[in-house]
Amino acid sequence: MRKVSVIGIGCTPFGKQNSIGIIDLALQACEGALSDAQVPGRPIDAFYLGNFVSEALAHQGSLAPIVAHRLGLGPIPCTKVEGACASSGIAFRHGVLMIASGLCDIVLVAGVEKMTSAETGAVTEALASAGDADSEMRLGLTFPGTFGIVMRRHMYQHGTTREQVAMVSVKNRSNGAVNPKAHFQKPVAMAEVLESRLICDPLRLYDCTPISDGAAAAVLCAADLAAEFTDRSVDVIGSGHATGPATLFEMADLTTFEASVVAGQQAYRQAGVAPGDIDVAEVHDCFTIAEITAIEDLGFVAKGKGGAAVAEGLTALDGTLPTNPSGGLLSKGHPVGATGLAQIYEIVAQLRGDAVNQVKGAEIGLAHNLGGTGAVSTVHILKRR
Amino acid sequence: MASFEAFACDDCHSLSTRPQRRCWRCGSSAIRSVNLIGRGTLVSFTIIRVPPTVFQGQEPYHIAVIDLDEGLRITARLVVPEGREAAIDDPVIFDAMRPYGPIFRLV
């Protein structure tokens, strides 16, 4: 298999973007990535675009060919990729596979979502379609509800405290306060998290990501060609993609997302690194408790120790494993189809040495994207050249 | 006493709440319908206060993951009588089947 590099990245600001439609959001991120990669004029061989709820919320089903046409990419293969909140992690993975297989030299990958123009009930319903419609979602379960159930069980089973879980929000909101692309650029205090409105007990408002608009993109290239375009390329050394049960009742342990465990193991094995070798991570903190389960599932800490790890500062900017220095989904926002590539954007920036909360000397970074009730996960490991 | 339908594997005796083409655990296609009484305990639960549009007006309502004594884990609505609070490990029992799924109640 050929080795793959990221040679360009682009990301729109995340948040409420009334004046720009979903196609233009995607164009903005893609143009950013293409110009960062310095590939104008060079043919792109394929385009993968991650998106989850454009049909329900933006009334636009087909996206990839329209965006590609507007970018002037020519008659290349264009595919929209759906994997709930892991849609653009999977789009990135497809780009990697196309180059690794030798079928393509340069691939554009992107993710986009436009959510704020719809009513909250409609957004909740559209997002709930990532769950199993025949069983749990028909009961009226929502995604905050799903993670409320996971959180209560984690607290019971592992002794995780309410304060430890709230610390994730305090940490990520503090990190995001200096990120100009984040939806929320304001820190929150522990008391504010603990006293915010109950959404799905014990989950409260500040345990949840906001509803956001946004897009992110990357240009992937065969590693042996990367130097022709840029001296700032970052290598993709591990790519994992796995599936788990799409319902809570089919999970063997309500505090473990099997897809994350398996995707992480695949990525570590391919990269030839261990969790302890990771210098910086962007993990899928769609809710506070999700960051705790993620750092456990990815092997950064033992199962059940995630809450204590956050409270002890292990995952802080100056900790041994800085996690979500960008502010994570909790601060940046979670335009679901764009999230996976926004994580890649942050990790590439970290490995280039120009991130907003730069982790000093970061050489190896990890991006973890989770979709549905743990139904699908991607894990990518990237390395500075 | 109320009972509800589930699907049992004749080879490994796993149970499922939905008709599987093959057993989710062992892959066998020897699946048959069984009736369960539905006594169990709470594994975890939440109270939905921001529901999807179709359930607006019903909030707040409980949704629980339940381990049945009969060897099956399911997700269901949970009825909590006024003045009581649910807790993990509380005993629950099947109450009724609604178009949107099973309802259990605290014992």
Side-chain angles (χ1 to χ4, degrees):
Chain A
M1 285 206 303
R2 285 200 304 175
K3 295 196 182 317
V4 182
S5 302
V6 180
I7 58 170
I9 49 172
C11 188
T12 68
F14 279 13
K16 202 168 164 60
Q17 303 206 31
N18 292 332
S19 57
I20 178 167
I22 189 164
I23 300 293
D24 285 308
L25 267 177
L27 289 173
Q28 201 178 311
C30 289
E31 279 163 351
L34 290 166
S35 102
D36 182 47
Q38 301 168 46
V39 290
R42 164 89 197 201
I44 299 293
D45 298 320
F47 176 49
Y48 289 94
L49 177 60
N51 173 265
F52 175 33
V53 284
S54 71
E55 286 170 59
L57 302 184
H59 309 294
Q60 177 66 61
S62 179
L63 284 177
I66 297 176
V67 173
H69 185 71
R70 293 270 302 274
L71 284 168
L73 297 183
I76 61 166
C78 297
T79 310
K80 182 169 92 171
V81 176
E82 188 280 315
C85 305
S87 293
S88 61
I90 303 172
F92 184 83
R93 156 98 173 172
H94 279 304
V96 169
L97 295 178
M98 289 299 268
I99 293 169
S101 72
L103 282 173
C104 294
D105 289 332
I106 304 186
V107 177
L108 176 65
V109 292
V112 66
E113 210 74 68
K114 173 89 182 163
M115 304 169 78
T116 65
S117 39
E119 297 292 323
T120 305
V123 175
T124 304
E125 200 162 288
L127 294 177
S129 74
D132 186 82
D134 280 346
S135 59
E136 293 184 338
M137 294 306 156
R138 75 172 178 162
L139 288 166
L141 185 61
T142 60
F143 270 92
T146 297
F147 282 87
I149 287 173
V150 168
M151 177 171 164
R152 191 186 299 277
R153 185 67 200 178
H154 203 284
M155 292 169 70
Y156 174 88
Q157 195 168 316
H158 303 297
T160 307
T161 68
R162 185 64 191 83
E163 288 74 16
Q164 288 172 344
V165 180
M167 275 292 298
V168 174
S169 185
V170 175
K171 168 180 74 73
N172 291 358
R173 289 287 293 263
S174 157
N175 291 350
V178 297
N179 183 352
K181 288 190 190 294
H183 190 152
F184 293 142
Q185 293 167 29
K186 198 173 135 255
V188 291
M190 170 79 78
E192 289 178 272
V193 182
L194 297 179
E195 286 157 21
S196 61
R197 185 160 60 93
L198 270 171
I199 302 293
C200 290
D201 317 36
L203 207 73
R204 290 174 181 271
L205 185 64
Y206 286 178
D207 290 301
C208 309
T209 56
I211 292 163
S212 312
D213 307 323
V219 181
L220 296 172
C221 175
D224 54 352
L225 302 175
E228 289 179 25
F229 306 104
T230 175
D231 54 3
R232 306 210 304 155
S233 63
V234 163
D235 294 333
V236 183
I237 59 170
S239 173
H241 179 190
T243 291
T247 56
L248 290 166
F249 71 87
E250 287 167 307
M251 285 168 68
D253 173 356
L254 279 181
T255 68
T256 299
F257 293 109
E258 213 181 307
S260 295
V261 176
V262 176
Q265 287 167 347
Q266 286 174 6
Y268 290 132
R269 199 179 316 122
Q270 201 180 95
V273 302
D277 298 321
I278 303 297
D279 299 315
V280 57
E282 288 283 327
V283 307
H284 198 90
D285 59 329
C286 48
F287 300 95
T288 44
I289 189 63
E291 177 167 316
I292 289 174
T293 58
I295 61 174
E296 295 169 351
D297 291 343
L298 295 168
F300 297 141
V301 295
K303 184 48 70 181
K305 304 290 182 200
V310 175
E312 286 160 14
L314 231 72
T315 55
L317 288 176
D318 58 353
T320 49
L321 186 84
T323 303
N324 289 326
S326 69
L329 284 53
L330 286 167
S331 201
K332 276 189 308 186
H334 184 23
V336 286
T339 289
L341 267 156
Q343 293 172 321
I344 297 283
Y345 174 91
E346 295 296 337
I347 291 298
V348 170
Q350 284 284 350
L351 301 180
R352 284 175 171 181
D354 54 14
V356 283
N357 282 311
Q358 181 62 43
V359 172
K360 224 174 150 191
E363 284 188 11
I364 301 180
L366 178 148
H368 159 256
N369 199 191
L370 182 69
T373 310
V376 56
S377 178
T378 61
V379 174
H380 285 97
I381 301 176
L382 284 76
K383 189 170 191 281
R384 193 170 74 192
R385 276 226 173 155
Chain B
M1 189 173 274
S3 71
F4 69 101
E5 189 184 33
F7 301 88
C9 169
D10 271 341
D11 285 321
C12 77
H13 308 294
S14 299
L15 286 162
S16 171
T17 46
R18 49 185 165 194
Q20 308 271 130
R21 282 167 191 247
R22 289 184 172 274
C23 173
W24 61 274
R25 185 178 285 164
C26 75
S28 163
S29 54
I31 308 286
R32 68 190 164 83
S33 163
V34 293
N35 278 308
L36 301 181
I37 296 300
R39 281 186 187 281
T41 54
L42 282 183
V43 181
S44 189
F45 63 94
T46 188
I47 305 169
I48 306 282
R49 294 169 194 275
V50 182
T53 319
V54 286
F55 292 106
Q56 265 164 22
Q58 289 190 25
E59 74 273 18
Y61 54 86
H62 285 67
I63 292 186
V65 177
I66 293 162
D67 267 345
L68 298 181
D69 300 348
E70 289 155 306
L72 175 68
R73 177 172 284 190
I74 69 168
T75 308
R77 285 281 188 104
L78 179 71
V79 175
V80 178
E82 215 165 300
R84 290 185 63 186
E85 255 184 56
I88 290 178
D89 288 340
D90 275 356
V92 296
I93 188 159
F94 174 72
D95 191 71
M97 189 60 82
R98 293 276 180 265
Y100 52 79
I103 299 181
F104 281 67
R105 58 182 158 85
L106 282 186
V107 173

